[in-house]
Amino acid sequence: MTGLTLRLRPWLAAPALIAGLLATLPATATDVELPPVDQVFVLSAQATARDRIEVRWKIADGYYLYRHRTSVKTSAAFANPTLALPTGDRHRDEFFGDVETYRQQLVGVVRGTPAADATGVALTVKYQGCADAGVCYPPQTRTLTVALPPAAGSADAGFLPTRKGGLFALGGADAGAVDAAPLPAEQAFTSELIALDGNTLLLRLTPARGYYLYRDKLSVALADRGLSTALPPPAALPRATPHRDEHFGEVAVYFDEVEIPLPVTRTTTAATRATLVLGLQGCQTDGICYPPMTRRLAVALPAGKAGTLASAPVAATPATASTPTAPSAAPVAAPATPPSAAVVQTTPSREAPPTRATPGLLAALLLALGGGLVLNLMPCVLPVLSLKALSLAQSGQGRGRRHALAYTAGVLLSMLALGALVLALRHAGLALGWGFQLQQPLVLAGLALVMFALGLSLSGLWHANVGLGQRTGALLQGDGIRADFFTGVLAVVLATPCTAPFMGAALAYAFTGPVAGALLVFLLLGLGLALPFLLIGFVPAFARLLPKPGAWMDTLKQLLAFPLYATAAWLVWVLARLRGADAVGLWLAAAILLALAAWAAARARHDGARRWRAVAGLALLAIAWPLLRLHALPRPQAVTAATSADGLPQVRWSEQALADLRAQGRPVFVNMTADWCVSCKANEKTVFSNPRFRAALAATNAVYMLGDYTDVDPAITAYLQRHRAVGVPLYVVYPRDGGEGRILPPLLTAGMVEDALREAAR
């Protein structure tokens, strides 16, 4: 019997695989709740002379400001302004390259020429800072008014700066400054939840003295399956106090404690635990405004009636109004959207997500098995699986079983290791998703080198232990089993860019559920991936479906080299998107060294000369140099395009842009994608580039927003987590009326998208 077997030399593939495993620790930001920006960077300004203004930031511990993101502009009353900043701490920043930063405090000096009759100057201050935890605030803009000392010889020449006069006032010269430092949000706005009975909850909100809550920013939802609730209509809510807001005009706010009964609709009658997701936003009178907040309030819900209930009556709670004695100052962290759009959120980590059900353990295991099985049909894994099928085609049943078991062991152990790594990093506070390792340049480079080396082997450059007849049988007893094991490892790594049907819900359970159940989900996902080869190895009926071995296999082996080269080219293309053209050049240098090592190893095997072994070893060691240089490359500057390559109008995703569009009452289609995500690219080719999609956007006046998750992006990571997405793709369609977004499945059709847009437009 003639046949073909590919045996991988572990020492040749090891450098790239080890580099990939070491690089799987992502540089993601921890999933932290950042305090309001104005508590972290406390801004003030004071005129020390008519031509000199000091702008100060008091910076909290664990935070820093960027020098190059700091600027000050003045009104026309202060001509020819110049800003002098001190030298900051120099370091190489993950986002901006070589930068200078400030900690603890920053004092900038603005000099200029004041007008003769000027009594004050308006400053527009821009700045941006980050937390050491790895999360950055968006760029900030504040408007300050600074009183100037009187001109020499004037009646007020004895001017001395005071807190209200010489120091800054926000929004106007008379606004003054707040005497007390802002309270933490939990102290400024306390919230309690009480179960009145099995079908009614009581929500109690208490602003601290000198603080108020926007009535129209309140939102509630129950996070538990089988339970639901909603706020009463505005007319049935406790009476609020009319308030003139500088940004939004006339609004309704609560200065005092309010109690809001919430009716509960339930599908079961048994007592249970419930979690209320509360959205709220408030301000300090004449002071800062807090970003929109989301809180989770737990309560023991007693037994109650199942079915839909009418809204519970609202207890009359007088809003005796601690009405402010002066108009509200412009908020420091002003809301970006009108309070009337109650569900619109502007803070990345605090948006109330659309409801997404998480299955139980048994359902998650079945979905994982089905998802792993479907992964075999995805383009990510096919190049490697073709090699495995070729190997099994020439094996007898007994040998085929050993090959199938070795391959399955590689798949299961790799899935288990991936699951353990994800859970360990999740426990450490890192935000991860499916395919996260492909955001790391070393992983991409290492995988591309492995695929390149396999292609060279199939093309005959280096000895792959290809034998016919009895030689093949002998080889199967040894390293062929190890080759099967490594093929299983490689299949798991290459499967991560794809998201198959059924996988999303199963991985949602794995990424959020208990440790033991999560590991079982990963094992069942691996079992599904390995199942076809187990069937071929152990069920003769399936084995008979494979073609008979013969000379054709050598030709097929050489043809299979080209899908491997194509996979390597795709990985290098993604690498170029992550680190630019320099990364491609360094990878090519590593590929040449790898080809040299493979060629020298083949010569050493043929000639038995030690010098060729030395050449192969030195070439392998030299690969470390371009890989290390590649890992140190900075991220290329992002370029935002108003249209895609096929002319589709698009908007770059950001929390602020999404909030602004929703405030305008427009439907929004959010596409979270990545260049390494094969499922994303398939949808973009078949759905988003289809003229039907462009026509549906135009017909519904919808906006297409694109979020690029090719590289690590803490804001997108937070967005994915809020929507309980295990990775990309994530598609969310937001309706124009400000309701919850609708999450679409990872594999789309044009009709599915059209229906979602039409519903959002209604």
Side-chain angles (χ1 to χ4, degrees):
M1 182 180 72
T2 61
L4 170 70
T5 294
L6 171 64
R7 183 174 71 177
L8 297 178
R9 300 298 298 175
W11 59 267
L12 188 59
L17 286 176
I18 292 174
L21 291 174
L22 290 177
T24 54
L25 292 176
T28 54
T30 53
D31 184 20
V32 296
E33 288 277 340
L34 291 181
V37 64
D38 294 288
Q39 293 183 20
V40 173
F41 308 112
V42 182
L43 176 63
S44 63
Q46 180 179 6
T48 58
R50 282 189 63 81
D51 63 346
R52 186 180 188 275
I53 300 173
E54 289 186 357
V55 184
R56 295 176 175 269
W57 288 265
K58 183 179 179 182
I59 305 171
D61 292 338
Y63 297 84
Y64 58 88
L65 285 173
Y66 290 109
R67 174 175 180 156
H68 74 287
R69 305 289 284 179
T70 303
S71 65
V72 178
K73 293 183 179 180
T74 64
S75 59
F78 201 77
N80 305 316
T82 59
L83 173 64
L85 295 174
T87 302
D89 298 327
R90 299 179 183 274
H91 76 98
R92 187 164 188 83
D93 185 79
E94 181 181 11
F95 299 97
F96 298 116
D98 294 326
V99 297
E100 293 182 28
T101 58
Y102 304 104
R103 295 179 181 272
Q104 301 302 319
Q105 71 169 354
L106 167 61
V107 180
V109 176
V110 180
R111 289 188 177 274
T113 305
D117 58 348
T119 60
V121 178
L123 305 181
T124 301
V125 184
K126 296 183 178 182
Y127 56 97
Q128 185 176 11
C130 302
D132 288 338
V135 182
C136 289
Y137 289 93
Q140 306 292 318
T141 301
R142 302 289 182 267
T143 301
L144 289 67
T145 299
V146 179
L148 294 178
S154 70
D156 296 326
F159 168 84
L160 289 175
T162 64
R163 182 171 181 82
K164 276 197 164 187
L167 290 180
F168 76 90
L170 296 177
D174 298 329
V178 181
D179 291 333
L183 294 172
E186 293 74 13
Q187 298 178 24
F189 313 104
T190 59
S191 49
E192 302 170 82
L193 187 64
I194 304 168
L196 298 180
D197 55 50
N199 294 101
T200 311
L201 298 173
L202 180 68
L203 175 64
R204 180 180 295 133
L205 303 173
T206 309
R209 185 174 179 83
Y211 293 78
Y212 60 86
L213 284 167
Y214 290 108
R215 184 190 66 185
D216 294 331
K217 275 297 193 181
L218 296 177
S219 65
V220 295
L222 284 170
D224 312 271
R225 297 182 64 183
L227 301 175
S228 62
T229 189
L231 282 172
L237 285 171
R239 184 168 57 89
T241 302
H243 182 64
R244 178 69 182 176
D245 186 280
E246 173 133 1
H247 287 265
F248 307 125
E250 296 295 336
V251 294
V253 300
Y254 294 121
F255 286 96
D256 294 305
E257 179 181 286
V258 292
E259 293 183 345
I260 306 174
L262 302 174
V264 177
T265 301
R266 52 195 302 168
T267 58
T268 60
T269 60
T272 185
R273 298 287 299 179
T275 300
L276 183 77
V277 180
L278 169 66
L280 68 160
Q281 184 175 10
C283 300
Q284 181 185 23
T285 304
D286 295 339
I288 73 166
C289 271
Y290 294 75
M293 294 164 274
T294 298
R295 296 179 181 174
R296 300 177 69 87
L297 307 177
V299 66
L301 192 66
K305 298 179 180 179
T308 303
L309 302 177
S311 297
V314 178
T317 305
T320 55
S322 304
T323 307
T325 58
S328 173
V332 173
T337 57
S340 59
V343 299
V344 178
Q345 306 289 344
T346 58
T347 301
S349 62
R350 305 187 180 210
E351 180 182 336
T355 302
R356 175 189 287 236
T358 302
L361 177 59
L362 179 60
L365 294 178
L366 293 175
L367 290 170
L369 183 66
L373 188 62
V374 176
L375 269 180
N376 288 281
L377 304 177
M378 306 300 282
C380 331
V381 203
L382 278 178
V384 173
L385 299 192
S386 300
L387 297 177
K388 181 48 52 190
L390 188 64
S391 174
L392 291 177
Q394 57 82 46
S395 303
Q397 184 174 345
R399 292 168 179 169
R401 290 177 178 178
R402 286 195 295 270
H403 284 293
L405 287 174
Y407 172 78
T408 302
V411 170
L412 294 182
L413 289 178
S414 300
M415 276 291 186
L416 192 62
L418 180 62
L421 178 63
V422 167
L423 294 174
L425 294 178
R426 186 189 75 183
H427 180 72
L430 293 177
L432 298 176
W434 181 251
F436 68 90
Q437 69 273 22
L438 294 178
Q439 293 178 322
Q440 309 305 316
L442 277 184
V443 173
L444 290 169
L447 285 176
L449 287 176
V450 170
M451 304 308 291
F452 180 65
L454 289 173
L456 292 179
S457 173
L458 294 183
S459 296
L461 177 66
W462 59 285
H463 191 65
N465 279 345
V466 176
L468 302 175
Q470 298 299 321
R471 289 184 60 203
T472 302
L475 292 173
L476 288 172
Q477 305 300 323
D479 290 340
I481 300 300
R482 281 184 287 174
D484 294 321
F485 180 87
F486 277 110
T487 305
V489 173
L490 194 58
V492 170
V493 176
L494 288 177
T496 52
C498 286
T499 304
F502 317 121
M503 278 180 57
L507 289 175
Y509 179 92
F511 277 64
T512 59
V515 172
L519 292 178
L520 283 175
V521 168
F522 277 97
L523 282 175
L524 264 291
L525 188 62
L527 182 61
L529 182 61
L531 189 57
F533 297 102
L534 284 174
L535 293 175
I536 292 173
F538 283 84
V539 180
F542 283 98
R544 284 193 292 269
L545 296 177
L546 294 174
K548 298 296 182 182
W552 62 270
M553 300 181 72
D554 191 58
T555 301
L556 180 59
K557 175 206 68 158
Q558 296 175 20
L559 287 175
L560 286 177
F562 295 98
L564 296 176
Y565 291 140
T567 304
W570 165 65
L571 291 168
V572 174
W573 174 74
V574 178
L575 180 64
R577 300 277 290 175
L578 277 178
R579 290 297 183 269
D582 289 346
V584 177
L586 290 170
W587 184 88
L588 290 173
I592 293 171
L593 290 170
L594 182 62
L596 174 61
W599 174 78
R603 290 295 303 269
R605 177 179 293 275
H606 183 267
D607 300 341
R610 292 185 177 180
R611 65 180 181 275
W612 295 119
R613 295 182 183 272
V615 170
L618 291 174
L620 285 177
L621 290 175
I623 292 175
W625 178 82
L627 291 181
L628 292 175
R629 288 286 306 275
L630 184 152
H631 183 65
L633 287 175
R635 297 173 179 173
Q637 189 68 29
V639 178
T640 304
T643 58
S644 63
D646 56 3
L648 179 65
Q650 62 188 36
V651 175
R652 184 179 180 184
W653 177 90
S654 71
E655 292 283 3
Q656 188 63 60
L658 175 59
D660 291 343
L661 288 168
R662 299 202 67 196
Q664 297 171 18
R666 299 189 61 181
V668 182
F669 188 104
V670 174
N671 173 11
M672 289 297 177
T673 183
D675 288 334
W676 42 261
C677 171
V678 177
S679 304
C680 304
K681 294 303 176 185
N683 287 329
E684 289 169 15
K685 183 68 175 176
T686 59
V687 177
F688 301 133
S689 62
N690 192 317
R692 292 174 58 184
F693 180 63
R694 186 183 290 103
L697 291 175
T700 57
N701 193 30
V703 178
Y704 178 50
M705 296 197 81
L706 193 67
D708 189 355
Y709 200 45
T710 302
D711 207 344
V712 176
D713 188 322
I716 294 181
T717 300
Y719 183 84
L720 294 174
Q721 284 196 315
R722 287 200 311 280
H723 293 77
R724 301 177 189 174
V726 297
V728 292
L730 172 65
Y731 306 112
V732 186
V733 183
Y734 293 95
R736 66 180 182 87
D737 62 0
E740 280 189 353
R742 173 185 172 185
I743 298 177
L744 301 184
L747 296 180
L748 300 175
T749 65
M752 183 189 304
V753 172
E754 289 173 340
D755 291 343
L757 287 172
R758 280 195 295 267
E759 181 180 342
R762 287 197 297 267

